[in-house]
Amino acid sequence: MTPLVSRRGRGRAGLVTLLCGALAAGGLTAAGVAALAPATASASSHREAPLISGTPQYDNTDVYAFVSPDKPDTTTVVANWIPFEEPAGGPNFYTFADDAQYDLHIDNNGDAHDDLVFRYTFRTHTKNGRTFLYNTGVVKSLDDPNLNITQTYDIELLRLKHDRVVYRTKLANDVPVAPSNVGKASMPDYAKLRSQAVYKTAGGGTTFAGQADDPFFADLRVFDLLYGGNLSEVGNDTLKGYNVNTIALQVPTALIRESAGQPVVGIWSTTQRRNAQGYYSQVSRLGNPLVNEVVNPQRDKDRFNASQPAYDAQFLNNVTHPELPKLVESIYKIKAPSEPRNDLVDVFLKGVKGLNQPPDVRPSEELRLNTSIKPSAHPKRLGVLDGDNAGFPNGRRLGDDVVDEALQVMEGALVGQKTGLSDGVDANDQTFEKSFPYVAEPTSGSRGPLAKGTSAGTDVRSQLGDALQPAGSSAGSGDTMLIAASAASGAAGILLLGTAFAWWRRRVQRPY
């Protein structure tokens, strides 16, 4: 007698053959869609260090700090995470990590140690784990049952002395996060959802967490050996159309400064990630823009992300002997300023004397803001370089052109060497808000051209043939035929799977 296990083995072999055939046919669907997908971005100045580039939930991309233009007795800090969020990047859209502490640090006396920490911690909630959908219908509010995946967060205020917590208090509990902007069909009034995510905290502050348009603007082709080797690769905002996850906090200035007589504060952000043993370790750090991207060499990048400002003396040589001006000189023959670059120490490590340098400052990498400088009625994108002392490097506003400023300072703008270097991108592609949280709404996942033969508001369910045709294509185009062939192959694959399963069940249910 032939053993039953052998019959099952033959049955499984036959089933595998049919399954392979079915999957091969159905696989054409994925291949067809992949052939039409746009290329994804492969590099970003946000991805500044080897380790953090592989864990974007913990990657802090930018920090902004400025006296609030519409509430000048308050200071606003904006910090962003998760670089290059593709707006249509479902079904798993973009969330803050549940196993992280997102911290905003304040040094209010210039000693390179934090005196205050605003700590954000997040929790993810799933209403229905039996669906793959982020939202199961139209979302009209943050508590809408159709919003399947939600997040909430708490804020703690920690007061420290000699690096030890001496006092902690909760500023907010269970605050809702603004969701990823899935698209117009899912979230027809995204502005309403965002407004519901603005929350008043204890102590007179205001907070927001959620998705936003990436406010950083730059032509990141700088890494193609400085804009193509002949400045032919400038003028394209490579951040355009991408989103980030934003934390914004507005607090009374009196809460964070040491005193009215010493109004300069140092600000930076960090991310701590919890390990398997339950302990947190710092994996990301950011104060001034572009420091870890183009000042620190590869060997120091991960170490910088794990370090504290009090120990920044170890990176001093990277500032006083920077690589970038030498690279510019070798390619464009613009003479690099003489070293050591003490002018860069003032900008990146101490603050500008007479503007935002605190007394008895300890050199360290922090974004320094003089909170007594009133907001500019007409901000200039080059900030202090153009006589606007309310802009970078005195803090950083959303509209400050930090790339042009950094290029010109690196090339000696503060020591009399004027170059006018620029990446050709002078402003963000989206207009910033005039009130908190100031960042622009995120780009919608439904962006892009509509299918041929349709228009906004048109019900395409009665026009399926047209809807399968990409915008701008002609009838019977290669792309359309590819989609149709893929759909047909996918249907054939499903039929083959069903046939295979029915055949296998008949085989294994026989009594011999």
Side-chain angles (χ1 to χ4, degrees):
M1 178 181 291
T2 304
L4 182 60
V5 66
S6 296
R7 291 185 183 277
R8 286 183 176 174
R10 287 197 298 271
R12 285 174 180 161
L15 177 63
V16 168
T17 301
L18 283 176
L19 284 174
C20 288
L23 292 175
L28 290 175
T29 305
V33 173
L36 299 176
T40 56
S42 60
S44 166
S45 65
H46 293 29
R47 297 157 45 85
E48 80 285 351
L51 286 179
I52 200 63
S53 64
T55 52
Q57 272 188 310
Y58 313 90
D59 186 359
N60 188 187
T61 65
D62 285 286
V63 175
Y64 304 82
F66 49 91
V67 177
S68 308
D70 56 331
K71 293 185 177 180
D73 60 338
T74 68
T75 297
T76 295
V77 180
V78 175
N80 298 325
W81 280 263
I82 313 180
F84 275 120
E85 291 183 2
E86 163 57 47
N92 295 299
F93 287 91
Y94 306 97
T95 58
F96 292 95
D98 288 4
D99 61 349
Q101 296 169 333
Y102 298 92
D103 288 353
L104 306 178
H105 300 258
I106 308 293
D107 169 15
N108 61 22
N109 57 15
D111 66 353
H113 294 271
D114 41 7
D115 300 290
L116 301 171
V117 175
F118 296 92
R119 173 162 292 166
Y120 285 68
T121 53
F122 293 83
R123 291 179 298 278
T124 303
H125 314 277
T126 303
K127 295 183 177 72
N128 180 4
R130 297 182 300 278
T131 177
F132 66 85
L133 293 169
Y134 182 78
N135 58 292
T136 55
V138 177
V139 177
K140 298 180 179 179
S141 65
L142 294 186
D143 59 359
D144 195 313
N146 288 332
L147 186 55
N148 189 38
I149 308 296
T150 63
Q151 285 197 300
T152 57
Y153 64 96
D154 298 346
I155 309 174
E156 275 191 301
L157 172 58
L158 313 179
R159 293 186 181 273
L160 297 92
K161 190 171 184 179
H162 305 305
D163 295 327
R164 298 179 65 88
V165 177
V166 295
Y167 174 80
R168 68 173 67 218
T169 184
K170 272 284 183 75
L171 295 183
N173 283 303
D174 295 324
V175 183
V177 175
S180 294
N181 190 353
V182 176
K184 295 178 182 178
S186 295
M187 299 171 179
D189 189 356
Y190 190 85
K192 178 181 178 182
L193 301 180
R194 161 178 278 207
S195 67
Q196 292 175 352
V198 175
Y199 182 84
K200 298 292 185 182
T201 73
T206 308
T207 182
F208 168 85
Q211 195 178 52
D213 169 74
D214 191 341
F216 184 53
F217 50 94
D219 194 324
L220 296 178
R221 293 176 295 178
V222 63
F223 300 110
D224 186 17
L225 290 183
L226 288 178
Y227 301 116
N230 59 0
L231 292 179
S232 61
E233 298 176 1
V234 296
N236 177 48
D237 183 1
T238 42
L239 282 303
K240 180 179 179 179
Y242 289 100
N243 299 324
V244 288
N245 273 22
T246 289
I247 288 174
L249 179 66
Q250 187 176 81
V251 295
T253 298
L255 175 65
I256 61 173
R257 70 186 181 193
E258 183 181 50
S259 66
Q262 203 306 90
V264 177
V265 296
I267 298 170
W268 71 99
S269 68
T270 60
T271 314
Q272 290 75 238
R273 185 177 186 182
R274 188 174 64 238
N275 62 22
Q277 288 75 41
Y279 298 102
Y280 286 90
S281 58
Q282 183 178 306
V283 296
S284 182
R285 168 190 167 194
L286 185 59
N288 278 290
L290 305 172
V291 170
N292 209 20
E293 286 86 351
V294 299
V295 175
N296 288 328
Q298 290 286 344
R299 67 187 180 194
D300 290 337
K301 289 179 179 294
D302 291 330
R303 188 149 48 101
F304 179 87
N305 267 341
S307 70
Q308 304 295 329
Y311 308 107
D312 279 350
Q314 63 185 311
F315 306 114
L316 179 62
N317 189 66
N318 301 339
V319 178
T320 56
H321 298 80
E323 178 185 9
L324 181 60
K326 301 181 184 72
L327 181 60
V328 171
E329 181 174 0
S330 68
I331 296 175
Y332 293 114
K333 312 308 178 187
I334 299 174
K335 185 173 177 56
S338 300
E339 296 179 346
R341 295 295 302 278
N342 293 322
D343 57 315
L344 299 184
V345 173
D346 286 341
V347 172
F348 292 118
L349 301 181
K350 295 168 64 177
V352 178
K353 193 169 185 178
L355 176 62
N356 64 338
Q357 185 179 122
D360 304 316
V361 64
R362 179 177 180 177
S364 56
E365 203 288 286
E366 302 174 7
L367 183 62
R368 301 187 191 276
L369 173 67
N370 186 336
T371 60
S372 70
I373 303 293
K374 299 299 182 183
S376 298
H378 303 287
K380 297 180 180 179
R381 67 179 182 88
L382 294 181
V384 175
L385 279 182
D386 198 17
D388 181 0
N389 285 342
F392 182 78
N394 180 32
R396 180 185 177 188
R397 300 168 300 197
L398 295 172
D400 286 338
D401 192 347
V402 296
V403 172
D404 283 10
E405 291 178 82
L407 283 172
Q408 294 180 30
V409 168
M410 277 284 186
E411 290 306 305
L414 301 181
V415 291
Q417 187 165 313
K418 307 293 185 181
T419 63
L421 283 176
S422 172
D423 68 344
V425 181
D426 295 341
N428 191 45
D429 61 298
Q430 299 289 333
T431 302
F432 298 121
E433 303 283 348
K434 296 186 181 301
S435 59
F436 186 86
Y438 303 107
V439 288
E441 288 184 20
T443 299
S444 168
S446 59
R447 67 172 177 172
L450 298 173
K452 185 179 179 181
T454 67
S455 59
T458 300
D459 187 347
V460 300
R461 287 174 293 185
S462 62
Q463 304 179 36
L464 186 58
D466 285 337
L468 284 175
Q469 221 167 277
S473 66
S474 59
S477 70
D479 287 346
T480 303
M481 294 300 292
L482 179 58
I483 296 175
S486 298
S489 299
I494 293 171
L495 289 173
L496 280 172
L497 284 173
T499 303
F501 184 69
W503 175 84
W504 178 71
R505 287 194 63 182
R506 288 197 301 272
R507 293 284 293 173
V508 299
Q509 287 175 357
R510 292 180 181 179
Y512 55 91

